Amino acid sequence: MAMDIAHRDHLLAALHGVLGAATLLLCLLAELLVFALRRHAALYLAPAASMLLLGRLRRRAAAAEIGLVDFACLKPPRRLRIPVAGLLEHFRLIGCFDGASVEFMTKVIEASGMGNETYFPPSLHYIPPAATHAGAVQEAGMLFFPALDDLFARTGVPPSAVGALVVNCSGFCPAPSLAAIIASRYRMRGDVRTFNLSGMGCAAGVVGVDVARGVLLTHDIPYAVVVSAEIVTIGWYSGKDQGKLLLNCYFRTGCSAALVTNRRGAAARAPVKYRLAGLTRTNQIANDRSYRSGYREEDDEGVTGFTLGQGVGRMVSELLRAHLVTLGLSILPWREKLRYARALLLLLLSSRRRRDDGSSKLARAVPLPDFRAAADHFCLPSSGRPMIWRLGQGLGLGEREMEAALMTFHRFGNQSAASLWYQLAYLEAKGRVRAGDTVWQLGVGSGLKANSLVWQRVAGGDGERELGPWADCIHRYPVTET
């Protein structure tokens, strides 16, 4: 099977090469014909311009053919559940935290909107926690393999058909790599292209899809798998620096796996559920304050943890403003763009009149586009109820648009980049995503960076419910005590 796929890929690559050579030959012949017939010099540009135009159209058509076949999200075993009361008692018993640290984490968790059914890996259920390399490797297998088994079973695509594997996990980088662990377990083909992304935080899932898209368009391979997870074992912080305790409060066990395809040629045999309608990435890494807003380092006692710096909220706001301008230009309908431009123009004229009149009154706040005109469903950074509400209201969203993010955090906690896929699974379990609907996934990660995916549903979804990790609890949601 693997050899047949490899031969097919080589034939497709050869065919594309022949077509490219034929196009170049036709352009050269056209140039020679213009020269032989002694035509106007301007005509020499016509063949070259045609070739450039055809190449651009071909690349644009190929990019539009990137689709999501399906995705799977892990539902950890019930024995790993960690109720809030049990977690707080755990903090008191393990002995590494002082009273002030326990009190701080208690306040954060109680205000976060987290429920009683989130999960910790086995290593963190011990007293004291066994945050070791071996425990992290064990957690990786516990996350990746069930999620991938589910993905391959749902899609009917065997591991031998996968041409590229992208794994993103911020804090754990073993050798062999996490991508190598997966490729070895599933005996993937010898020429599979593996990529291991680390240190990118909650925005890494979009980066993974972007990498997969580039490989699919460049190498004529049919399928790529993007795996997103956070190894909570290695992210556990046992010190007393309150700036580093937030990961203990928010992050929980979870994993997602998505099968992305280039729908050209043989890959069209696998029907796609979503079409990639937009992908936008923005970063402020060159800004020193932004760069230091989230940092993994040792505290004064030598204990390693991840620090959220002061002013991170302000930096995220600045980042999102820049990101939304770029994203809005590509996804907002023309009617909303014109309405927004008109509102900005009126604001500028009003501000100018106030200055001319010598008025000291403040001008109105800069208006926001209505992003509900650009997307039907929203998946937001899963960073606790206060942050979700603040971000949602800043985007002009209502409670229903924020529901997927709030309920995912309540049920599963923050699973870093995988949280966006759990939110999409929530929307599907509710039967809300119908054919033609668009879904906007927004991730914000360390760096700082803001990344967005926009998917359009192309198959099924007319009230159909796909329960996924929500199978045993979707009837209880939304809950009101978040």
Side-chain angles (χ1 to χ4, degrees), residues 413-474:
N414 187 341
Q415 298 146 317
S416 193
S419 294
L420 297 177
W421 297 101
Y422 281 81
Q423 292 177 44
L424 182 53
Y426 177 87
L427 294 169
E428 289 189 349
K430 284 293 185 181
R432 294 179 184 173
V433 188
R434 300 175 179 272
D437 284 0
T438 53
V439 181
W440 173 18
Q441 294 179 312
L442 170 64
V444 177
S446 56
L448 286 167
K449 62 181 71 69
N451 299 331
S452 287
L453 287 171
V454 180
W455 301 99
Q456 183 179 41
R457 186 73 181 254
V458 296
D462 293 331
E464 176 184 352
R465 292 173 178 247
E466 299 180 48
L467 299 180
W470 298 88
D472 64 343
C473 63
I474 192 62

Side-chain angles (χ1 to χ4, degrees), residues 117-448:
E117 295 185 281
T118 61
Y119 304 92
F120 260 171
S123 57
L124 299 187
H125 283 263
Y126 293 108
I127 297 180
T132 63
H133 179 86
V137 172
Q138 179 190 16
E139 182 186 355
M142 182 196 74
L143 296 176
F144 296 153
F145 303 147
L148 286 165
D149 288 345
D150 187 17
L151 178 69
F152 293 134
R154 289 164 65 96
T155 61
V157 175
S160 58
V162 175
L165 172 65
V166 185
V167 180
N168 60 74
C169 175
S170 286
F172 185 50
C173 307
S177 69
L178 296 173
I181 291 173
I182 293 174
S184 174
R185 165 65 180 261
Y186 290 97
R187 298 294 186 261
M188 291 184 174
R189 43 200 277 191
D191 62 346
V192 64
R193 293 163 174 83
T194 58
F195 302 86
N196 212 90
L197 309 179
S198 64
M200 293 190 175
C202 301
V206 182
V207 180
V209 173
D210 195 12
V211 171
R213 178 183 66 167
V215 176
L216 288 169
L217 294 177
T218 305
H219 294 285
D220 286 315
I221 59 177
Y223 302 108
V225 170
V226 180
V227 180
S228 300
E230 196 58 68
I231 306 300
V232 183
T233 294
I234 212 68
W236 177 259
Y237 174 67
S238 58
K240 300 178 178 63
D241 185 346
Q242 293 187 1
K244 296 179 172 61
L245 291 171
L246 291 176
L247 263 67
N248 295 356
C249 302
Y250 288 154
F251 280 79
R252 297 293 182 269
T253 297
C255 177
S256 67
L259 183 66
V260 186
T261 182
N262 183 345
R263 297 187 290 167
R264 294 177 299 175
R269 293 184 303 175
V272 300
K273 183 186 289 187
Y274 295 90
R275 178 182 70 87
L276 182 60
L279 192 155
T280 303
R281 295 172 57 182
T282 307
N283 73 74
Q284 291 185 337
I285 299 172
N287 184 315
D288 289 342
R289 290 184 303 157
S290 176
Y291 179 75
R292 292 291 302 187
S293 62
Y295 214 77
R296 188 172 177 83
E297 59 186 355
E298 295 178 341
D299 63 14
D300 295 338
E301 298 178 355
V303 182
T304 302
F306 187 86
T307 303
L308 286 178
Q310 293 183 351
V312 64
R314 183 176 65 256
M315 296 306 302
V316 170
S317 297
E318 294 178 7
L319 170 68
L320 286 175
R321 279 196 292 270
H323 179 69
L324 293 176
V325 169
T326 305
L327 181 69
L329 290 174
S330 62
I331 69 171
L332 285 171
W334 278 106
R335 183 174 61 181
E336 179 58 25
K337 289 178 182 177
L338 292 174
R339 187 201 68 81
Y340 181 58
R342 177 178 176 273
L344 282 179
L345 181 60
L346 291 175
L347 178 65
L348 291 174
L349 293 174
S350 174
S351 299
R352 177 172 295 180
R353 283 197 299 268
R354 290 177 185 277
R355 287 198 302 269
D356 293 341
D357 296 341
S359 174
S360 60
K361 293 183 179 179
L362 294 175
R364 292 176 299 166
V366 176
L368 281 175
D370 185 1
F371 284 98
R372 290 176 295 185
D376 301 291
H377 310 283
F378 300 84
C379 303
L380 306 175
S382 189
S383 50
R385 178 179 60 188
M387 289 298 296
I388 294 172
W389 269 103
R390 189 180 308 168
L391 175 59
Q393 290 175 341
L395 293 174
L397 306 182
E399 186 172 356
R400 183 174 175 83
E401 286 82 18
M402 293 184 275
E403 183 181 312
L406 290 168
M407 297 306 108
T408 297
F409 185 83
H410 180 273
R411 177 62 182 82
F412 292 102
N414 187 341
Q415 298 146 317
S416 193
S419 294
L420 297 177
W421 297 101
Y422 281 81
Q423 292 177 44
L424 182 53
Y426 177 87
L427 294 169
E428 289 189 349
K430 284 293 185 181
R432 294 179 184 173
V433 188
R434 300 175 179 272
D437 284 0
T438 53
V439 181
W440 173 18
Q441 294 179 312
L442 170 64
V444 177
S446 56
L448 286 167

